[in-house]
Amino acid sequence: IVMTQSPDSLAVSLGERATINCKSSQSVLYSANNKNYLAWYQQKPGQPPKLLLYWASTRESGVPDRFSGSGSGTDFTLTISSLQADDVAVYYCQQYYGSPPGHSFGQGTKLEIK
Amino acid sequence: EVQLEESGGGLVQPGGSLRLSCAVSGFAFSSYDMNWVRQAPGKGLEWVSYISSSGGTIYYGDSVKGRFTISRDNAKNSLYLQMNSLRVEDTGVYYCARDRWAPGSPLDYWGQGTLVTVSS
């Protein structure tokens, strides 16, 4: 499964909304449990990736509620409702549906302050 | 506290070998599937390999199949990646990462990574 993110980079003003899109080459919705096997990660310079969301929209413990995820099947969106300076990072989507496990990632979206 | 710490990276010539280790603590290692994920300088994330909790199921990405071998020692709480026939394009930071649950899982904990540089 190939994951494609858009845009590659994004500049947003502090307090404004940031939206990142992710498209998978095939559906990551598992009909047996109606769950989308899609996660979002945040990576800051010099740090490992940090899990933000899984099942496309479930926030990891401790993640601020300004981060939200939506979408189903092949099209997904990560939204940061009010951008903070600490949100500057590269964001990756990842599918964990494939068998065998492939954990394929999108190419990343670099988010900066305008 | 969950901790994963990679080691074993370094500079190696093309065609050479390197063995990476990942020492874990703070969770029941033998109950979790594990992965290696790498990141070339300035590039995105690439999944490299997966091993089930028992070590009985193993998968590799196409770019490393036949050259890399993943293994684990549950008694030592350690994960390994034996890398042979290294190529320049294998250069990057290698992370070990934990599957949250059985196959079909996000990666919920990551190490800080170890840098592998393949160059003559």
Side-chain angles (χ1 to χ4, degrees):
Chain A
I1 300 176
V2 177
M3 309 300 291
T4 303
Q5 293 180 225
S6 62
D8 289 333
S9 63
L10 181 63
V12 175
S13 301
L14 290 173
E16 295 299 304
R17 179 185 300 261
T19 301
I20 299 170
N21 300 302
C22 175
K23 189 175 185 67
S24 59
S25 60
Q26 65 187 73
S27 177
V28 297
L29 174 62
Y30 186 40
S31 56
N33 58 13
N34 200 36
K35 288 184 179 293
N36 287 284
Y37 284 54
L38 190 284
W40 288 96
Y41 298 83
Q42 175 193 63
Q43 187 179 31
K44 297 180 179 180
Q47 296 184 19
K50 172 189 173 183
L51 178 63
L52 291 178
L53 301 159
Y54 54 96
W55 298 139
S57 61
T58 301
R59 266 189 304 276
E60 177 72 339
S61 176
V63 172
D65 61 5
R66 63 179 181 274
F67 290 91
S68 64
S70 63
S72 185
T74 61
D75 292 280
F76 300 90
T77 299
L78 171 68
T79 301
I80 306 172
S81 60
S82 177
L83 189 71
Q84 307 298 305
D86 188 53
D87 301 334
V88 170
V90 179
Y91 292 85
Y92 295 92
C93 63
Q94 175 225 4
Q95 67 81 17
Y96 47 96
Y97 178 88
S99 179
H103 293 299
S104 48
F105 295 89
Q107 79 275 19
T109 296
K110 186 175 183 179
L111 177 59
E112 300 173 312
I113 305 294
K114 184 186 291 183
Chain B
E1 179 189 6
V2 171
Q3 291 190 332
L4 296 85
E5 184 173 0
E6 302 90 342
S7 61
L11 175 63
V12 61
Q13 292 188 338
S17 298
L18 215 52
R19 189 194 195 206
L20 306 184
S21 299
C22 172
V24 313
S25 60
F27 67 97
F29 179 66
S30 61
S31 298
Y32 287 85
D33 303 344
M34 298 293 295
N35 299 266
W36 287 98
V37 177
R38 69 184 181 183
Q39 186 169 35
K43 302 298 184 183
L45 302 168
E46 178 189 11
W47 171 79
V48 171
S49 185
Y50 158 93
I51 186 168
S52 63
S53 58
S54 67
T57 301
I58 286 173
Y59 300 115
Y60 298 98
D62 289 342
S63 62
V64 307
K65 206 171 295 184
R67 300 187 298 122
F68 289 11
T69 302
I70 191 172
S71 63
R72 64 191 296 159
D73 185 336
N74 286 343
K76 294 184 177 179
N77 288 343
S78 293
L79 175 72
Y80 306 101
L81 186 68
Q82 177 66 43
M83 304 186 296
N84 298 331
S85 302
L86 281 162
R87 305 168 180 168
V88 171
E89 55 265 34
D90 294 319
T91 294
V93 176
Y94 285 70
Y95 298 101
C96 59
R98 187 184 84 166
D99 270 350
R100 166 154 288 178
W101 46 71
S105 161
L107 303 172
D108 63 349
Y109 284 97
W110 299 61
Q112 290 296 312
T114 187
L115 177 62
V116 172
T117 304
V118 185
S119 175
S120 54

PDB file of all heavy atoms in Angstrom, chain B residues 4-34:
ATOM      1  N   LEU B   4      13.506   2.459  24.991  1.00  0.00           N
ATOM      2  CA  LEU B   4      14.143   1.689  23.944  1.00  0.00           C
ATOM      3  C   LEU B   4      15.434   2.420  23.588  1.00  0.00           C
ATOM      4  O   LEU B   4      15.404   3.634  23.354  1.00  0.00           O
ATOM      5  CB  LEU B   4      13.266   1.574  22.699  1.00  0.00           C
ATOM      6  CG  LEU B   4      11.931   0.835  22.824  1.00  0.00           C
ATOM      7  CD1 LEU B   4      10.825   1.759  23.336  1.00  0.00           C
ATOM      8  CD2 LEU B   4      11.523   0.250  21.481  1.00  0.00           C
ATOM      9  N   GLU B   5      16.536   1.708  23.570  1.00  0.00           N
ATOM     10  CA  GLU B   5      17.826   2.348  23.296  1.00  0.00           C
ATOM     11  C   GLU B   5      18.613   1.547  22.266  1.00  0.00           C
ATOM     12  O   GLU B   5      19.043   0.419  22.541  1.00  0.00           O
ATOM     13  CB  GLU B   5      18.641   2.497  24.573  1.00  0.00           C
ATOM     14  CG  GLU B   5      19.959   3.247  24.367  1.00  0.00           C
ATOM     15  CD  GLU B   5      20.683   3.544  25.665  1.00  0.00           C
ATOM     16  OE1 GLU B   5      20.167   3.178  26.730  1.00  0.00           O
ATOM     17  OE2 GLU B   5      21.772   4.135  25.600  1.00  0.00           O
ATOM     18  N   GLU B   6      18.794   2.158  21.108  1.00  0.00           N
ATOM     19  CA  GLU B   6      19.547   1.518  20.038  1.00  0.00           C
ATOM     20  C   GLU B   6      21.041   1.755  20.212  1.00  0.00           C
ATOM     21  O   GLU B   6      21.466   2.766  20.783  1.00  0.00           O
ATOM     22  CB  GLU B   6      19.116   2.061  18.664  1.00  0.00           C
ATOM     23  CG  GLU B   6      17.655   1.913  18.326  1.00  0.00           C
ATOM     24  CD  GLU B   6      16.825   3.111  18.758  1.00  0.00           C
ATOM     25  OE1 GLU B   6      17.301   3.886  19.611  1.00  0.00           O
ATOM     26  OE2 GLU B   6      15.706   3.286  18.244  1.00  0.00           O
ATOM     27  N   SER B   7      21.816   0.843  19.681  1.00  0.00           N
ATOM     28  CA  SER B   7      23.268   0.980  19.663  1.00  0.00           C
ATOM     29  C   SER B   7      23.823   0.171  18.506  1.00  0.00           C
ATOM     30  O   SER B   7      23.102  -0.618  17.881  1.00  0.00           O
ATOM     31  CB  SER B   7      23.877   0.494  20.980  1.00  0.00           C
ATOM     32  OG  SER B   7      23.581  -0.875  21.187  1.00  0.00           O
ATOM     33  N   GLY B   8      25.105   0.382  18.216  1.00  0.00           N
ATOM     34  CA  GLY B   8      25.756  -0.413  17.194  1.00  0.00           C
ATOM     35  C   GLY B   8      25.969   0.286  15.868  1.00  0.00           C
ATOM     36  O   GLY B   8      26.592  -0.266  14.959  1.00  0.00           O
ATOM     37  N   GLY B   9      25.442   1.495  15.735  1.00  0.00           N
ATOM     38  CA  GLY B   9      25.640   2.225  14.488  1.00  0.00           C
ATOM     39  C   GLY B   9      27.079   2.691  14.332  1.00  0.00           C
ATOM     40  O   GLY B   9      27.885   2.615  15.265  1.00  0.00           O
ATOM     41  N   GLY B  10      27.390   3.166  13.140  1.00  0.00           N
ATOM     42  CA  GLY B  10      28.735   3.654  12.886  1.00  0.00           C
ATOM     43  C   GLY B  10      29.018   3.761  11.407  1.00  0.00           C
ATOM     44  O   GLY B  10      28.110   3.645  10.580  1.00  0.00           O
ATOM     45  N   LEU B  11      30.280   3.973  11.093  1.00  0.00           N
ATOM     46  CA  LEU B  11      30.722   4.101   9.707  1.00  0.00           C
ATOM     47  C   LEU B  11      31.209   2.751   9.200  1.00  0.00           C
ATOM     48  O   LEU B  11      32.026   2.088   9.853  1.00  0.00           O
ATOM     49  CB  LEU B  11      31.844   5.134   9.621  1.00  0.00           C
ATOM     50  CG  LEU B  11      32.525   5.324   8.260  1.00  0.00           C
ATOM     51  CD1 LEU B  11      31.526   5.842   7.234  1.00  0.00           C
ATOM     52  CD2 LEU B  11      33.709   6.270   8.398  1.00  0.00           C
ATOM     53  N   VAL B  12      30.724   2.353   8.056  1.00  0.00           N
ATOM     54  CA  VAL B  12      31.119   1.076   7.461  1.00  0.00           C
ATOM     55  C   VAL B  12      31.247   1.269   5.956  1.00  0.00           C
ATOM     56  O   VAL B  12      30.539   2.091   5.358  1.00  0.00           O
ATOM     57  CB  VAL B  12      30.099  -0.031   7.808  1.00  0.00           C
ATOM     58  CG1 VAL B  12      28.713   0.309   7.266  1.00  0.00           C
ATOM     59  CG2 VAL B  12      30.557  -1.389   7.332  1.00  0.00           C
ATOM     60  N   GLN B  13      32.137   0.518   5.357  1.00  0.00           N
ATOM     61  CA  GLN B  13      32.329   0.598   3.908  1.00  0.00           C
ATOM     62  C   GLN B  13      31.239  -0.173   3.165  1.00  0.00           C
ATOM     63  O   GLN B  13      30.668  -1.135   3.711  1.00  0.00           O
ATOM     64  CB  GLN B  13      33.700   0.042   3.533  1.00  0.00           C
ATOM     65  CG  GLN B  13      34.868   0.893   4.012  1.00  0.00           C
ATOM     66  CD  GLN B  13      36.193   0.416   3.452  1.00  0.00           C
ATOM     67  OE1 GLN B  13      36.337  -0.730   3.051  1.00  0.00           O
ATOM     68  NE2 GLN B  13      37.177   1.306   3.420  1.00  0.00           N
ATOM     69  N   PRO B  14      30.961   0.224   1.952  1.00  0.00           N
ATOM     70  CA  PRO B  14      30.010  -0.560   1.139  1.00  0.00           C
ATOM     71  C   PRO B  14      30.441  -2.021   1.069  1.00  0.00           C
ATOM     72  O   PRO B  14      31.640  -2.326   0.922  1.00  0.00           O
ATOM     73  CB  PRO B  14      30.096   0.121  -0.227  1.00  0.00           C
ATOM     74  CG  PRO B  14      30.488   1.529   0.077  1.00  0.00           C
ATOM     75  CD  PRO B  14      31.433   1.418   1.246  1.00  0.00           C
ATOM     76  N   GLY B  15      29.462  -2.903   1.208  1.00  0.00           N
ATOM     77  CA  GLY B  15      29.734  -4.331   1.237  1.00  0.00           C
ATOM     78  C   GLY B  15      29.989  -4.872   2.616  1.00  0.00           C
ATOM     79  O   GLY B  15      30.047  -6.100   2.814  1.00  0.00           O
ATOM     80  N   GLY B  16      30.137  -3.991   3.581  1.00  0.00           N
ATOM     81  CA  GLY B  16      30.433  -4.406   4.943  1.00  0.00           C
ATOM     82  C   GLY B  16      29.196  -4.808   5.723  1.00  0.00           C
ATOM     83  O   GLY B  16      28.088  -4.844   5.194  1.00  0.00           O
ATOM     84  N   SER B  17      29.432  -5.117   7.008  1.00  0.00           N
ATOM     85  CA  SER B  17      28.355  -5.578   7.889  1.00  0.00           C
ATOM     86  C   SER B  17      28.336  -4.771   9.163  1.00  0.00           C
ATOM     87  O   SER B  17      29.348  -4.196   9.571  1.00  0.00           O
ATOM     88  CB  SER B  17      28.552  -7.059   8.230  1.00  0.00           C
ATOM     89  OG  SER B  17      28.493  -7.866   7.072  1.00  0.00           O
ATOM     90  N   LEU B  18      27.169  -4.783   9.796  1.00  0.00           N
ATOM     91  CA  LEU B  18      26.980  -4.086  11.063  1.00  0.00           C
ATOM     92  C   LEU B  18      25.841  -4.785  11.797  1.00  0.00           C
ATOM     93  O   LEU B  18      24.897  -5.284  11.152  1.00  0.00           O
ATOM     94  CB  LEU B  18      26.621  -2.631  10.800  1.00  0.00           C
ATOM     95  CG  LEU B  18      27.110  -1.518  11.732  1.00  0.00           C
ATOM     96  CD1 LEU B  18      28.618  -1.593  11.952  1.00  0.00           C
ATOM     97  CD2 LEU B  18      26.750  -0.164  11.151  1.00  0.00           C
ATOM     98  N   ARG B  19      25.924  -4.829  13.109  1.00  0.00           N
ATOM     99  CA  ARG B  19      24.840  -5.390  13.903  1.00  0.00           C
ATOM    100  C   ARG B  19      24.319  -4.337  14.866  1.00  0.00           C
ATOM    101  O   ARG B  19      25.058  -3.844  15.711  1.00  0.00           O
ATOM    102  CB  ARG B  19      25.321  -6.602  14.691  1.00  0.00           C
ATOM    103  CG  ARG B  19      24.170  -7.364  15.367  1.00  0.00           C
ATOM    104  CD  ARG B  19      24.662  -8.335  16.397  1.00  0.00           C
ATOM    105  NE  ARG B  19      23.639  -9.303  16.797  1.00  0.00           N
ATOM    106  CZ  ARG B  19      23.604  -9.916  17.979  1.00  0.00           C
ATOM    107  NH1 ARG B  19      24.555  -9.684  18.881  1.00  0.00           N
ATOM    108  NH2 ARG B  19      22.656 -10.791  18.259  1.00  0.00           N
ATOM    109  N   LEU B  20      23.046  -4.020  14.714  1.00  0.00           N
ATOM    110  CA  LEU B  20      22.389  -3.071  15.601  1.00  0.00           C
ATOM    111  C   LEU B  20      21.702  -3.815  16.730  1.00  0.00           C
ATOM    112  O   LEU B  20      21.212  -4.930  16.555  1.00  0.00           O
ATOM    113  CB  LEU B  20      21.366  -2.241  14.838  1.00  0.00           C
ATOM    114  CG  LEU B  20      21.852  -1.500  13.594  1.00  0.00           C
ATOM    115  CD1 LEU B  20      20.722  -0.653  13.024  1.00  0.00           C
ATOM    116  CD2 LEU B  20      23.071  -0.666  13.887  1.00  0.00           C
ATOM    117  N   SER B  21      21.659  -3.161  17.892  1.00  0.00           N
ATOM    118  CA  SER B  21      20.954  -3.698  19.045  1.00  0.00           C
ATOM    119  C   SER B  21      19.956  -2.671  19.557  1.00  0.00           C
ATOM    120  O   SER B  21      20.143  -1.457  19.377  1.00  0.00           O
ATOM    121  CB  SER B  21      21.925  -4.059  20.166  1.00  0.00           C
ATOM    122  OG  SER B  21      22.850  -5.036  19.769  1.00  0.00           O
ATOM    123  N   CYS B  22      18.901  -3.162  20.181  1.00  0.00           N
ATOM    124  CA  CYS B  22      17.911  -2.300  20.818  1.00  0.00           C
ATOM    125  C   CYS B  22      17.603  -2.913  22.179  1.00  0.00           C
ATOM    126  O   CYS B  22      17.023  -4.000  22.249  1.00  0.00           O
ATOM    127  CB  CYS B  22      16.663  -2.204  19.965  1.00  0.00           C
ATOM    128  SG  CYS B  22      15.271  -1.340  20.741  1.00  0.00           S
ATOM    129  N   ALA B  23      18.014  -2.223  23.225  1.00  0.00           N
ATOM    130  CA  ALA B  23      17.753  -2.687  24.583  1.00  0.00           C
ATOM    131  C   ALA B  23      16.497  -2.008  25.098  1.00  0.00           C
ATOM    132  O   ALA B  23      16.369  -0.782  24.996  1.00  0.00           O
ATOM    133  CB  ALA B  23      18.941  -2.356  25.474  1.00  0.00           C
ATOM    134  N   VAL B  24      15.571  -2.804  25.626  1.00  0.00           N
ATOM    135  CA  VAL B  24      14.309  -2.234  26.073  1.00  0.00           C
ATOM    136  C   VAL B  24      14.121  -2.454  27.569  1.00  0.00           C
ATOM    137  O   VAL B  24      14.659  -3.390  28.156  1.00  0.00           O
ATOM    138  CB  VAL B  24      13.110  -2.813  25.281  1.00  0.00           C
ATOM    139  CG1 VAL B  24      13.401  -2.802  23.791  1.00  0.00           C
ATOM    140  CG2 VAL B  24      12.754  -4.189  25.752  1.00  0.00           C
ATOM    141  N   SER B  25      13.320  -1.583  28.155  1.00  0.00           N
ATOM    142  CA  SER B  25      12.968  -1.701  29.569  1.00  0.00           C
ATOM    143  C   SER B  25      11.628  -1.026  29.791  1.00  0.00           C
ATOM    144  O   SER B  25      11.167  -0.251  28.945  1.00  0.00           O
ATOM    145  CB  SER B  25      14.042  -1.063  30.456  1.00  0.00           C
ATOM    146  OG  SER B  25      14.185   0.305  30.151  1.00  0.00           O
ATOM    147  N   GLY B  26      11.006  -1.354  30.912  1.00  0.00           N
ATOM    148  CA  GLY B  26       9.755  -0.698  31.269  1.00  0.00           C
ATOM    149  C   GLY B  26       8.496  -1.365  30.757  1.00  0.00           C
ATOM    150  O   GLY B  26       7.394  -0.871  30.995  1.00  0.00           O
ATOM    151  N   PHE B  27       8.633  -2.479  30.037  1.00  0.00           N
ATOM    152  CA  PHE B  27       7.467  -3.240  29.597  1.00  0.00           C
ATOM    153  C   PHE B  27       7.867  -4.692  29.377  1.00  0.00           C
ATOM    154  O   PHE B  27       9.049  -5.024  29.320  1.00  0.00           O
ATOM    155  CB  PHE B  27       6.827  -2.642  28.344  1.00  0.00           C
ATOM    156  CG  PHE B  27       7.676  -2.716  27.089  1.00  0.00           C
ATOM    157  CD1 PHE B  27       7.505  -3.729  26.159  1.00  0.00           C
ATOM    158  CD2 PHE B  27       8.634  -1.746  26.830  1.00  0.00           C
ATOM    159  CE1 PHE B  27       8.272  -3.781  24.998  1.00  0.00           C
ATOM    160  CE2 PHE B  27       9.414  -1.790  25.674  1.00  0.00           C
ATOM    161  CZ  PHE B  27       9.230  -2.817  24.759  1.00  0.00           C
ATOM    162  N   ALA B  28       6.864  -5.544  29.258  1.00  0.00           N
ATOM    163  CA  ALA B  28       7.101  -6.976  29.075  1.00  0.00           C
ATOM    164  C   ALA B  28       7.488  -7.250  27.628  1.00  0.00           C
ATOM    165  O   ALA B  28       6.637  -7.548  26.778  1.00  0.00           O
ATOM    166  CB  ALA B  28       5.849  -7.751  29.456  1.00  0.00           C
ATOM    167  N   PHE B  29       8.768  -7.148  27.339  1.00  0.00           N
ATOM    168  CA  PHE B  29       9.286  -7.240  25.965  1.00  0.00           C
ATOM    169  C   PHE B  29       8.787  -8.492  25.252  1.00  0.00           C
ATOM    170  O   PHE B  29       8.417  -8.428  24.069  1.00  0.00           O
ATOM    171  CB  PHE B  29      10.814  -7.237  26.020  1.00  0.00           C
ATOM    172  CG  PHE B  29      11.497  -7.362  24.683  1.00  0.00           C
ATOM    173  CD1 PHE B  29      11.391  -6.366  23.734  1.00  0.00           C
ATOM    174  CD2 PHE B  29      12.255  -8.485  24.388  1.00  0.00           C
ATOM    175  CE1 PHE B  29      12.035  -6.477  22.509  1.00  0.00           C
ATOM    176  CE2 PHE B  29      12.904  -8.606  23.170  1.00  0.00           C
ATOM    177  CZ  PHE B  29      12.795  -7.595  22.225  1.00  0.00           C
ATOM    178  N   SER B  30       8.755  -9.607  25.944  1.00  0.00           N
ATOM    179  CA  SER B  30       8.398 -10.872  25.307  1.00  0.00           C
ATOM    180  C   SER B  30       6.948 -10.920  24.826  1.00  0.00           C
ATOM    181  O   SER B  30       6.556 -11.838  24.114  1.00  0.00           O
ATOM    182  CB  SER B  30       8.665 -12.034  26.261  1.00  0.00           C
ATOM    183  OG  SER B  30       7.877 -11.904  27.427  1.00  0.00           O
ATOM    184  N   SER B  31       6.149  -9.930  25.203  1.00  0.00           N
ATOM    185  CA  SER B  31       4.735  -9.896  24.817  1.00  0.00           C
ATOM    186  C   SER B  31       4.461  -9.003  23.619  1.00  0.00           C
ATOM    187  O   SER B  31       3.314  -8.918  23.171  1.00  0.00           O
ATOM    188  CB  SER B  31       3.882  -9.414  25.996  1.00  0.00           C
ATOM    189  OG  SER B  31       3.979 -10.293  27.096  1.00  0.00           O
ATOM    190  N   TYR B  32       5.482  -8.337  23.113  1.00  0.00           N
ATOM    191  CA  TYR B  32       5.270  -7.341  22.065  1.00  0.00           C
ATOM    192  C   TYR B  32       6.030  -7.658  20.785  1.00  0.00           C
ATOM    193  O   TYR B  32       7.200  -8.062  20.825  1.00  0.00           O
ATOM    194  CB  TYR B  32       5.686  -5.960  22.555  1.00  0.00           C
ATOM    195  CG  TYR B  32       4.718  -5.362  23.555  1.00  0.00           C
ATOM    196  CD1 TYR B  32       4.825  -5.670  24.907  1.00  0.00           C
ATOM    197  CD2 TYR B  32       3.696  -4.522  23.137  1.00  0.00           C
ATOM    198  CE1 TYR B  32       3.929  -5.142  25.826  1.00  0.00           C
ATOM    199  CE2 TYR B  32       2.798  -3.986  24.046  1.00  0.00           C
ATOM    200  CZ  TYR B  32       2.925  -4.300  25.391  1.00  0.00           C
ATOM    201  OH  TYR B  32       2.036  -3.777  26.286  1.00  0.00           O
ATOM    202  N   ASP B  33       5.350  -7.427  19.663  1.00  0.00           N
ATOM    203  CA  ASP B  33       6.001  -7.453  18.368  1.00  0.00           C
ATOM    204  C   ASP B  33       6.846  -6.187  18.221  1.00  0.00           C
ATOM    205  O   ASP B  33       6.498  -5.135  18.768  1.00  0.00           O
ATOM    206  CB  ASP B  33       4.964  -7.501  17.246  1.00  0.00           C
ATOM    207  CG  ASP B  33       4.021  -8.703  17.366  1.00  0.00           C
ATOM    208  OD1 ASP B  33       4.336  -9.655  18.116  1.00  0.00           O
ATOM    209  OD2 ASP B  33       2.964  -8.675  16.708  1.00  0.00           O
ATOM    210  N   MET B  34       7.915  -6.308  17.449  1.00  0.00           N
ATOM    211  CA  MET B  34       8.844  -5.187  17.319  1.00  0.00           C
ATOM    212  C   MET B  34       9.214  -4.934  15.867  1.00  0.00           C
ATOM    213  O   MET B  34       9.046  -5.814  15.003  1.00  0.00           O
ATOM    214  CB  MET B  34      10.121  -5.468  18.121  1.00  0.00           C
ATOM    215  CG  MET B  34       9.914  -5.626  19.625  1.00  0.00           C
ATOM    216  SD  MET B  34       9.388  -4.111  20.443  1.00  0.00           S
ATOM    217  CE  MET B  34      10.818  -3.055  20.196  1.00  0.00           C
TER     218      MET B  34
END
